[in-house]
Amino acid sequence: MRWALVRVSLAVTVMVVLAFAVPLGLVVKELARDRAFADAERQAAQIRPALAITTDREQLERAVASSQAGGDGRLAVHVPGNDGTRQGAGSEGHGPHEAYDIGRRRADPRDVETARRGRSAVTSVPGGYALLQPTALSTGEFAVVEVYVPHRAVGNGVTTSWVILAGVGLGLIVGSLATADRLGLRLVRPAERLAKAAAELGEGKLGVRVREGGPPELRAAAVAFNSMADKIVQLLSHERELAADLSHRLRTPLTVLRLNAASLGEGPAAEQTRAAVAQLEREVDQLICAAREQGERKERPALGCDACEVIRDRMDFWSALAEDEGRAVRLAGVDATVRVPVARPELVAALDAMLGNVFRHTPEGTAFAVDVHHSEDAVIVLVSDAGPGIADPDAALRRGHGDGGPGSTGLGLDIVRRVAESTGGDVRIGRSVLGGTEVRVWLSLGGAGKPRRRERRRRIRTRRPGPDAGRK
């Protein structure tokens, strides 16, 4: 915006300067020319009285030499010949004589003869111009006074005037650019502050505010932004309090479950039930602590976890239920140690959401598989099943839009999506090789929030394990 204003101001100022400076420069040149020829006419007029009195050569030479132009060698007089028949009574020096010239003649003889007919003329000569001024004699003929006007006299002061005009025009252009730059800066700085604050707010810095300044429109935008930021902080505070209250309300039924699990006695089912209740209590405690965090959360590097270890652990948990429902389970690619920039509770929540969807939305006996593929910069987790599939994958990924039927909140895949996007990855839903749904979770290892490039997809060859892959 700033440079756009400067360019517009430059274009407008240059056009205005040219519109006034060029005609004014031409007027100055024309005035200098008129001044030079007016001076030449005045020099020629000084000889007219002498020509009206006499045509004696000696007297005319003295008259020419006494004039300024004649002293400078710029004045000449062309006197026509006379046979004495037209001599007026009482006139002096009008006896018979041949035509003669006084001073240096520069004009062409034909131009001089044209001027003898009583018409003034300006003709070009080497080095300048010649003003030919006819003067009537008492004999009725015309003598021609020639005044030489050099080029330097015609252009006297023109160059200086043009330099001054150019300086004034350049000064106007520089002043206009400086003014436009100041005005642009006054507009750009508040806009830059607003854009920077918006970016910081998008990064989670809830304490950022914009200093109100600049034009009224930008001040109004800053006020609206600050009001919006305050409202966001209030909404998040209310959300944390609500989450904490709801989590705290879960303690009572969890206590009942823990007491009931303690009375189950011994056995694998009882141990699994007690372990599940204990884990649920830990998750509720973590949810309460996270919900009651106050103040602005500073950026901290994710501690991360071993994705394969987490997947193995969750599959141990879900395998018992799969065995009860007669589901065939396949687990592949979890033998290595692969750390991802995701906190363990968040990855556990994402895996439980995907596996819970398999048990909730497919009939008993439906097979499912979990495959892990990894490279130097990404990890792909594939959860596929042999169920009926998802009719609208896009709607399933939108928060609260999943149509899971009774007992479904529609937030499971949204949790998975947020975990993947926190690393710079994404989530895709498609058709699996088992015939049902495939949820592919792309976890980037390049750092949270960094955009993932498409070419990274090509670095990982997601070869699906064959039918003889290990089961768990």
Side-chain angles (χ1 to χ4, degrees):
M1 183 186 297
R2 179 181 177 184
W3 294 116
L5 289 175
V6 170
R7 288 194 294 268
V8 170
S9 177
L10 175 62
V12 172
T13 308
V14 168
M15 287 190 295
V16 171
V17 168
L18 291 178
F20 283 93
V22 172
L24 190 57
L26 296 177
V27 168
V28 168
K29 181 179 179 181
E30 193 65 26
L31 288 176
R33 177 187 177 91
D34 293 342
R35 184 176 61 249
F37 284 108
D39 181 71
E41 291 178 357
R42 189 179 67 254
Q43 297 293 331
Q46 294 178 0
I47 305 301
R48 288 181 180 176
L51 288 173
I53 296 174
T54 182
T55 56
D56 183 68
R57 184 167 187 164
E58 293 182 359
Q59 294 182 9
L60 290 178
E61 287 179 349
R62 287 195 298 268
V64 169
S66 63
S67 65
Q68 180 181 357
D72 296 337
R74 297 187 293 110
L75 181 64
V77 179
H78 309 289
V79 181
N82 184 12
D83 56 3
T85 59
R86 295 183 181 180
Q87 185 173 350
S91 62
E92 180 183 353
H94 288 292
H97 60 81
E98 295 180 356
Y100 62 89
D101 297 331
I102 300 175
R104 179 183 174 184
R105 187 183 65 180
R106 293 180 174 85
D108 188 90
R110 290 173 295 180
D111 296 329
V112 174
E113 290 299 324
T114 301
R116 290 187 191 278
R117 300 187 181 96
R119 290 181 296 178
S120 300
V122 176
T123 181
S124 297
V125 297
Y129 303 91
L131 173 64
L132 302 177
Q133 191 74 34
T135 301
L137 301 176
S138 61
T139 60
E141 297 179 344
F142 286 91
V144 178
V145 179
E146 176 185 341
V147 181
Y148 171 64
V149 182
H151 286 303
R152 64 176 182 273
V154 174
N156 186 26
V158 174
T159 302
T160 303
S161 299
W162 284 2
V163 170
I164 294 175
L165 287 175
V168 172
L170 183 61
L172 290 175
I173 292 174
V174 172
S176 174
L177 293 181
T179 303
D181 182 70
R182 293 298 94 189
L183 292 176
L185 193 61
R186 185 170 177 265
L187 294 175
V188 168
R189 280 183 176 174
E192 289 178 346
R193 288 197 298 265
L194 185 60
K196 181 180 179 182
E200 292 179 354
L201 184 64
E203 294 173 358
K205 299 179 181 179
L206 302 180
V208 64
R209 296 295 182 273
V210 180
R211 179 171 62 86
E212 299 173 9
E217 293 81 2
L218 291 178
R219 286 201 300 270
V223 171
F225 177 86
N226 293 335
S227 176
M228 177 190 67
D230 294 337
K231 188 65 175 179
I232 290 175
V233 171
Q234 293 177 4
L235 292 175
L236 290 178
S237 177
H238 294 162
E239 183 180 359
R240 285 195 298 267
E241 294 176 359
L242 179 61
D245 292 342
L246 293 176
S247 302
H248 192 272
R249 293 178 184 179
L250 293 176
R251 286 185 177 276
T252 300
L254 281 176
T255 302
V256 176
L257 287 176
R258 181 166 52 82
L259 293 176
N260 292 339
S263 63
L264 292 177
E266 302 298 332
E271 291 298 329
Q272 290 179 359
T273 302
R274 283 191 285 270
V277 172
Q279 181 181 359
L280 186 57
E281 286 183 330
R282 290 193 299 270
E283 294 293 340
V284 171
D285 291 339
Q286 290 180 0
L287 182 59
I288 293 174
C289 294
R292 289 182 172 175
E293 287 182 355
Q294 299 295 329
E296 183 180 354
R297 299 181 61 182
K298 298 182 179 179
E299 294 183 359
R300 294 173 294 180
L303 298 178
C305 62
D306 182 359
C308 293
E309 188 273 330
V310 173
I311 293 173
R312 289 195 302 267
D313 178 70
R314 300 316 299 157
M315 287 301 294
D316 288 339
F317 174 80
W318 290 97
S319 294
L321 182 58
E323 185 177 353
D324 292 340
E325 295 185 358
R327 297 175 182 269
V329 181
R330 186 184 71 216
L331 179 64
V334 294
D335 298 331
T337 299
V338 181
R339 297 196 64 82
V340 293
V342 179
R344 180 184 176 88
E346 296 180 2
L347 185 58
V348 169
L351 289 171
D352 286 346
M354 290 187 290
L355 295 174
N357 283 340
V358 174
F359 284 88
R360 188 178 298 112
H361 304 305
T362 60
E364 293 187 6
T366 302
F368 69 94
V370 178
D371 301 324
V372 179
H373 308 274
H374 60 87
S375 68
E376 295 180 356
D377 55 1
V379 173
I380 295 179
V381 180
L382 299 175
V383 178
S384 53
D385 62 61
I390 298 178
D392 191 353
D394 294 334
L397 287 174
R398 293 199 296 270
R399 182 177 178 86
H401 284 71
D403 187 11
S408 174
T409 62
L411 301 179
L413 290 179
D414 181 73
I415 295 174
V416 179
R417 178 184 58 80
R418 285 190 287 110
V419 170
E421 290 180 352
S422 68
T423 68
D426 62 9
V427 176
R428 299 290 177 89
I429 298 178
R431 178 68 64 175
S432 71
V433 294
L434 300 178
T437 302
E438 177 187 84
V439 180
R440 180 181 60 182
V441 183
W442 182 290
L443 301 175
S444 175
L445 303 181
K450 293 185 179 180
R452 172 179 51 80
R453 297 180 181 176
R454 290 185 177 272
E455 55 266 21
R456 291 183 178 178
R457 293 178 178 268
R458 305 187 184 100
R459 300 180 185 177
I460 300 179
R461 298 179 180 178
T462 56
R463 296 179 179 175
R464 307 182 184 277
D468 56 347
R471 294 177 178 268
K472 185 157 178 126

